[in-house]
Amino acid sequence: MKINWKIRFSKKNLTFVFRFIAALIVPVLAYMGLEATDFTNWKSVGDLLISFVTNPYLIGLTIFNAVNLIPDPTTKGLSDSKLAQNKILIEKDDK
């Protein structure tokens, strides 16, 4: 599996970064029946982290959700295209 991680997680690719973070957080909140507004203090965040770490199903679900975001749907298999692998900059679309 060849993926250009520098491009995926670069500052200029914030869409991917935010989607990846959401892929980690949303399954946990949905499984626990919580919303972001439920976290008004650090104790509630700590309690959620402990609940997450002690739940193997939720860990697996979160990993699966995050990994599912990584493959490029425009290519066959799990690797990036040769063009994407060789990119060093993200080009801006002027539409």
Side-chain angles (χ1 to χ4, degrees):
M1 180 165 73
K2 293 183 179 181
I3 296 176
N4 191 339
W5 294 109
K6 288 180 184 178
I7 290 292
R8 294 280 179 105
F9 285 100
S10 72
K11 290 187 283 187
K12 293 188 178 187
N13 196 2
L14 291 179
T15 301
F16 177 81
V17 173
F18 288 135
R19 287 177 59 213
F20 188 79
I21 292 169
L24 297 175
I25 295 172
V26 170
V28 176
L29 295 178
Y31 182 83
M32 300 286 187
L34 300 171
E35 296 178 3
T37 56
D38 293 328
F39 301 101
T40 57
N41 58 54
W42 289 109
K43 181 180 180 335
S44 59
V45 174
D47 291 343
L48 177 69
L49 287 174
I50 291 170
S51 297
F52 170 72
V53 172
T54 59
N55 187 330
Y57 172 76
L58 191 51
I59 291 172
L61 179 67
T62 304
I63 290 170
F64 178 80
N65 197 38
V67 169
N68 195 32
L69 180 68
I70 293 171
D72 180 357
T74 64
T75 61
K76 184 178 180 183
L78 299 176
S79 296
D80 282 342
S81 67
K82 295 287 183 196
L83 178 65
Q85 290 176 26
N86 294 323
K87 279 189 174 193
I88 55 173
L89 294 172
I90 294 178
E91 299 162 11
K92 192 171 190 173
D93 191 13
D94 294 329
K95 287 186 179 180

